[in-house]
Amino acid sequence: MNSKIQTYKALLLCSVFIFSPYLYAAEYLSGPSDYVYSPIVEEGEREIDTKFGTQTPRNGEDARQSGASIGFGYGVTSWWFTEIYGKAQWEGNNSSFDAIEWENKFQLTETGKYPVDIGFLLELERPQNRNEGYEAKYGFLFQSEWRKWQANLNVLMQGHYTGTENQGTYFGYQGQVKYRLQPEFELGAQLYSWLGKVNSWNTDQQQQSSAGPAIFGKTKLGNKQALVYNAAYLWGTTTASPKNTIRMQVEYEF
Amino acid sequence: MKKKLLNTTIALGLGVTCTLAILQPSYAATPEVQIQIHQGRFIPSEFEIPANTKVKLVIINQDDTPEEFESYDLNREVLIKANSQASFYIGPLSPGRFHFEGEFSPMTAQGVVIVK
């Protein structure tokens, strides 16, 4: 039976990066500072979470787009983690406050009980541009591990509601694979994609998808304190994608 | 059209894979190991489990302070509140020694899972 379980785990691990090249994404909704969500919640964990990313547009005439956020997160229970963010963006030399975001993560299965840990994400955002109304992102989060490998695959929906711009609900996914080499340094890859509107997926060249290598790690700073990081260099895989994206996240856990 | 069909098929395939994985029926007989936390130490601090087997760990914290079970080897970090208990699953693991510690009292709360 264990070999069967391992077979399913291997299938899931492989699925993220074997199948993903076929799943070209559509409307580019991943911000430069987005990250791959994990369904695992740690009760009592407090963190200051900073993220930064920058994208080089494929068209050289367009300005570079960058984004950053800072947030405070707390593991309220063993199954609910919540975090409040402030987000800023830069386009060329112009910077502006972008949005306030409230992220909620719910762990739906006991850690390790099943071959795949499952969670649910609900993220609500109030954009500074009030024409965009409110933004909601929600979906299921999956994580599996096999020996020293860990894989994540998240299936997400995102939409703007009650506004006049960028309305509609979009479907996308994100994933990562990493090899847990040592606590301070782990190697892997990440992928971010959006397939388009839920009821009308885009054609290949309208789609956007970015993938590339990533590094991860955690350094203890003392009793109950740690610095957790991950960073990735992503190439756009379609002509509608940014040429490349550099993104990173640093969390101070205490 | 073909691409949309392919995308749909693959998305469904992923869903089916996940569902099949979750519905694995082998967990009724999952072995369980109980560990006490007493005066900042794990009791027992070493225990054996069989290789290639999923095991449920139940950590019972008898102290008046919280403790966090932390193990990079096992890829687990779980808070156990004061005078409370928490459970989670580890494995299936290959034979070897897998260290764990209590993050809030690492000088005393050390342990090893021996997989044979």
Side-chain angles (χ1 to χ4, degrees), chain A residues 156-178:
Chain A
L156 302 170
M157 305 242 237
Q158 178 173 311
H160 286 263
Y161 308 99
T162 72
T164 55
E165 294 178 13
N166 301 326
Q167 299 301 290
T169 303
Y170 294 82
F171 175 71
Y173 64 95
Q174 54 174 218
Q176 73 182 16
V177 169
K178 70 175 177 180

Side-chain angles (χ1 to χ4, degrees), chain A residues 33 66-70 86-90 95-99:
Chain A
S33 62
S66 304
S69 72
I70 185 163
K87 296 167 76 174
Q89 63 181 6
W90 291 263
S95 63
S96 61
F97 181 72
D98 184 27

Side-chain angles (χ1 to χ4, degrees), chain B residues 8-66:
Chain B
T8 308
T9 306
I10 290 167
L12 282 172
L14 283 173
V16 169
T17 302
C18 292
T19 306
L20 285 174
I22 291 161
L23 294 178
Q24 281 288 306
S26 64
Y27 301 101
T30 303
E32 185 177 305
V33 174
Q34 285 200 1
I35 303 171
Q36 320 282 328
I37 298 171
H38 184 64
Q39 295 183 340
R41 293 175 189 276
F42 290 113
I43 304 168
S45 59
E46 286 193 11
F47 58 92
E48 290 182 9
I49 63 170
N52 301 314
T53 304
K54 190 178 287 284
V55 173
K56 182 179 185 179
L57 294 190
V58 180
I59 318 282
I60 302 162
N61 186 0
Q62 298 176 335
D63 289 345
D64 295 329
T65 54

Side-chain angles (χ1 to χ4, degrees), chain A residues 24-82:
Chain A
Y24 296 136
E27 302 280 345
Y28 196 76
L29 300 181
S30 290
S33 62
D34 275 5
Y35 74 107
V36 176
Y37 305 95
S38 162
I40 304 301
V41 170
E42 191 184 336
E43 184 175 10
E45 181 181 284
R46 291 174 297 175
E47 65 181 36
I48 294 172
D49 179 14
T50 59
K51 296 193 281 287
F52 174 77
T54 184
Q55 293 173 333
T56 307
R58 194 162 295 269
N59 181 347
E61 295 174 2
D62 293 338
R64 169 178 289 276
Q65 293 186 347
S66 304
S69 72
I70 185 163
F72 174 74
Y74 180 61
V76 183
T77 69
S78 60
W79 51 269
W80 176 34
F81 181 85
T82 189

Side-chain angles (χ1 to χ4, degrees), chain A:
Chain A
M1 188 57 78
N2 282 325
S3 63
K4 249 179 136 181
I5 295 167
Q6 286 176 7
T7 304
Y8 282 123
K9 281 190 165 189
L11 269 174
L12 184 73
L13 283 165
C14 293
S15 65
V16 175
F17 281 89
I18 290 176
F19 291 153
S20 292
Y22 300 101
L23 291 167
Y24 296 136
E27 302 280 345
Y28 196 76
L29 300 181
S30 290
S33 62
D34 275 5
Y35 74 107
V36 176
Y37 305 95
S38 162
I40 304 301
V41 170
E42 191 184 336
E43 184 175 10
E45 181 181 284
R46 291 174 297 175
E47 65 181 36
I48 294 172
D49 179 14
T50 59
K51 296 193 281 287
F52 174 77
T54 184
Q55 293 173 333
T56 307
R58 194 162 295 269
N59 181 347
E61 295 174 2
D62 293 338
R64 169 178 289 276
Q65 293 186 347
S66 304
S69 72
I70 185 163
F72 174 74
Y74 180 61
V76 183
T77 69
S78 60
W79 51 269
W80 176 34
F81 181 85
T82 189
E83 185 164 349
I84 295 279
Y85 293 100
K87 296 167 76 174
Q89 63 181 6
W90 291 263
E91 190 159 341
N93 293 324
N94 302 319
S95 63
S96 61
F97 181 72
D98 184 27
I100 293 174
E101 189 174 283
W102 182 28
E103 177 186 309
N104 291 280
K105 224 168 51 175
F106 305 95
Q107 184 172 339
L108 303 179
T109 55
E110 262 189 278
T111 305
K113 184 172 185 178
Y114 304 105
V116 181
D117 294 314
I118 302 175
F120 185 79
L121 173 81
L122 175 60
E123 203 175 82
L124 302 170
E125 182 177 303
R126 182 187 184 280
Q128 189 70 359
N129 176 4
R130 297 309 305 132
N131 290 333
E132 293 183 7
Y134 291 89
E135 182 185 299
K137 186 191 282 184
Y138 48 93
F140 286 95
L141 317 176
F142 304 95
Q143 179 172 303
S144 188
E145 57 186 13
W146 186 65
R147 307 299 185 211
K148 286 196 150 196
W149 289 90
Q150 181 182 303
N152 293 77
L153 176 66
N154 302 327
V155 182
L156 302 170
M157 305 242 237
Q158 178 173 311
H160 286 263
Y161 308 99
T162 72
T164 55
E165 294 178 13
N166 301 326
Q167 299 301 290
T169 303
Y170 294 82
F171 175 71
Y173 64 95
Q174 54 174 218
Q176 73 182 16
V177 169
K178 70 175 177 180
Y179 182 74
R180 302 178 61 253
L181 193 63
Q182 59 186 60
E184 296 81 11
F185 186 73
E186 300 172 334
L187 282 168
Q190 290 185 336
L191 171 91
Y192 298 82
S193 275
W194 289 93
L195 297 168
K197 285 192 174 177
V198 169
N199 55 352
S200 163
W201 290 8
N202 287 354
T203 58
D204 290 359
Q205 292 310 310
Q206 292 174 314
Q207 298 172 350
Q208 290 201 5
S209 174
S210 295
I215 54 173
F216 312 82
K218 178 176 182 175
T219 302
K220 285 193 174 181
L221 300 176
N223 196 18
K224 305 181 190 177
Q225 296 176 62
L227 215 53
V228 183
Y229 74 90
N230 70 83
Y233 184 91
L234 310 166
W235 287 280
T237 60
T238 67
T239 55
S241 311
K243 194 172 178 185
N244 58 59
T245 301
I246 298 170
R247 55 150 306 279
M248 62 191 76
Q249 178 182 25
V250 179
E251 294 172 353
Y252 170 61
E253 294 181 354
F254 60 101

